Structures are given as C-alpha cells and as structure tokens.
Amino acid sequence: ASGLETDCAWHFGHVCEISREKMPGMRPGAQLPHVHAGAVYVDASIDPAGFDAFKTHAMDAFKRYDEFGFKSLHRDGGKVLEICLSYAFWKGGYAPLDFYDAPVINFNVR
C-alpha cells in the first residue's frame, strides 16, 4: 500500500496522539504509518503465516477501534479501513510505499 511512515496530519490529525497514548510497545517518537487502502497487493505465498498474522492484526484493530482511540470522522461517522491496516502494518513491521518515491496514484471516486 502507498503512504508515509510519518505524517502527524493523517487520521484526522490524531495519529501521533493515538500512537503515543494508545499503542503499547511503540517506540518513543514512532507513529502508526499513513496507509491508503486503495492499492494493497500481498503475495501470501511468500509468507503465509505473516499474511495470516497481518489479517488477524487488521481484524483486531477493527474490533478494538474505539479502545485504540481511532476516529470515526469519515463522512457520516464511519470507521475507516486505513487505520486498521496501519495498525496491521505496524504490528507486522511493514512500511508503506512512500507516496513520493513510488509511481502510485491514489484518488477517490464517487
């Protein structure tokens, strides 16, 4: 997925606060990565156990959304997938493809 490893303006401007206050085990100064869900490619055959763990972390983030302090500020108060994937990226030790280094285009379609 594309994104940025650090971006305190992401997740409605709350990702650094959430990372600091709600993510036990996160090293000081680190944050959940800014991740876009529009283009995610995973080759599960490379590491099936890692892929299963990634899915488990993403589902855990969704189930514990409010406990983790994730914000439901998208459109009519809905949860956002990206912060759940961000949590799974962090737990799995993955980093997004940097917006500025990867030839990936993200856009919203209505």
Side-chain angles (χ1 to χ4, degrees), residues 48-58 88:
F51 180 61
D52 287 342
F54 182 85
K55 292 186 299 186
T56 299
H57 293 315

Side-chain angles (χ1 to χ4, degrees), residues 61-82:
F62 186 81
K63 291 175 188 169
R64 299 173 67 189
Y65 199 92
D66 294 329
E67 177 186 341
F68 286 154
F70 299 156
K71 305 302 177 189
S72 297
L73 301 173
H74 183 66
R75 296 196 177 136
D76 293 325
K79 295 178 180 179
V80 291
L81 173 62
E82 284 87 351

